[in-house]
Amino acid sequence: PVAARATDVWKVYGAGEAQVVALHGVSVELERGRFTAVMGPSGSGKSTLMHCLAGLDSVSRGRVHIGDTEVTGLSDAGLTRLRRDSVGFIFQQFNLLPTLTAEENILLPLAIAGRKPDKQWYDTVVGTVGLGDRLRHRPHQLSGGQQQRVACARALVARPEVIFADEPTGNLDSRAGTEILGFLRDSVRDFGQTIVLVTHDPNAASYADRVVFLADGHVVDEMRQPSSEAVL
Ligand code: ADP
Ligand code: ADP
């Protein structure tokens, strides 16, 4: 089963002299329950591919599916629903709401979707990220690593079809980064969560089951690997 698929996706920004072809007919299948890393140097098209897969940005040509839903073909309302119900995001900048506590941040996507949290699942997720008494704290009272754990729990609690993590360790020291990568890997192994990690960091990518390499908007290589503990 495929959680997300890009089929011959092209993305062109701008026009005329300023035109940039960010994706040149990229095709990639992301299997359900897998941890896939999309790796490549800065400017290779990683963020663009992620944005197209997640319904954050339109494609110039080609097709994108999340589960059985064709994303390229959805109305704006359909896209909003897709982002709300089927995908989760973890960003480099954490993107937590500063006025809400950790717990309120974690529960926000469910609240917006009008869904009741499954108490048992919530406890499992919160227990796994290990925030303890910090659940009542606001983001500014938390370290970067703790804020990113809140963001991980927020993504996971809604059980989305796919979680997209865009350079999630970019603002963390190596120890906090290792914890987050380990947590993402465990949530694939223990909960069957599908995760796509976007990174330029080979060490981060080494946590994934599979690495797709992008260069200049092309998929240039692909590698499967046994999930292994990376050495920092
Ligand atoms: P990263 O390399 O970490 O993806 P970027 O600096 O490339 O970060 O991109 C950050 C944001 O700026 C993205 O949302 C991207 O779409 C946008 N962006 C990147 N390059 C350009 C550009 N040349 N013109 C306008 N927006 C851009
Ligand atoms: P990466 O995430 O690998 O750093 P991006 O997807 O951000 O790469 O960018 C791929 C290419 O597309 C780069 O040349 C970048 O400058 C360009 N680009 C990205 N976003 C925009 C944008 N909004 N407008 C114009 N060019 C962009």
Side-chain angles (χ1 to χ4, degrees):
V2 173
R5 172 190 286 137
T7 311
D8 193 25
V9 167
W10 292 74
K11 179 66 182 182
V12 182
Y13 291 110
E17 303 234 320
Q19 182 171 300
V20 175
V21 184
L23 297 175
H24 293 255
V26 169
S27 294
V28 63
E29 280 193 356
L30 305 163
E31 295 136 90
R32 192 170 285 164
R34 291 286 199 142
F35 188 177
T36 304
V38 175
M39 224 191 112
S42 185
S44 57
K46 302 182 298 294
S47 296
T48 300
L49 177 60
M50 186 202 100
H51 289 176
C52 289
L53 281 169
L56 291 172
D57 205 353
S58 63
V59 306
S60 304
R61 208 181 101 192
R63 298 199 298 164
V64 170
H65 289 81
I66 295 281
D68 296 329
T69 304
E70 184 176 346
V71 177
T72 39
L74 290 177
S75 62
D76 285 350
L79 283 173
T80 302
R81 211 174 313 120
L82 175 99
R83 287 193 296 260
R84 192 187 69 198
D85 297 338
S86 305
V87 293
F89 296 99
I90 301 169
F91 297 103
Q92 186 170 349
Q93 305 292 346
F94 320 132
N95 292 26
L96 302 177
L97 286 184
T99 57
L100 301 184
T101 65
E103 180 169 37
E104 289 163 347
N105 268 286
I106 292 169
L107 290 170
L108 189 65
L110 291 178
I112 289 172
R115 285 161 62 191
K116 277 220 170 63
D118 176 317
K119 174 86 171 88
Q120 204 182 343
W121 175 241
Y122 174 80
D123 288 345
T124 301
V125 169
V126 165
T128 311
V129 290
L131 282 158
D133 60 358
R134 299 210 168 71
L135 282 169
R136 304 264 154 69
H137 292 206
R138 288 177 216 287
H140 75 269
Q141 299 169 303
L142 301 173
S143 70
Q146 288 166 342
Q147 290 186 59
Q148 197 62 305
R149 287 197 233 172
V150 173
C152 288
R154 177 180 61 182
L156 211 54
V157 82
R159 308 201 99 148
E161 181 77 53
V162 191
I163 291 177
F164 293 96
D166 193 354
E167 301 283 8
T169 58
N171 273 321
L172 302 178
D173 62 34
S174 67
R175 178 150 161 230
T178 302
E179 279 172 14
I180 292 297
L181 292 165
F183 174 75
L184 295 178
R185 187 193 51 206
D186 293 350
S187 67
V188 173
R189 185 192 63 199
D190 299 341
F191 308 140
Q193 179 63 53
T194 305
I195 295 186
V196 179
L197 169 71
V198 173
T199 187
H200 68 277
D201 176 5
N203 183 63
S206 73
Y207 282 75
D209 308 318
R210 175 185 172 217
V211 188
V212 174
F213 294 91
L214 277 187
D216 291 330
H218 298 266
V219 174
V220 292
D221 200 1
E222 204 193 304
M223 190 175 91
R224 287 185 189 271
Q225 55 190 13
S227 302
S228 59
E229 207 74 46
V231 181
L232 283 171

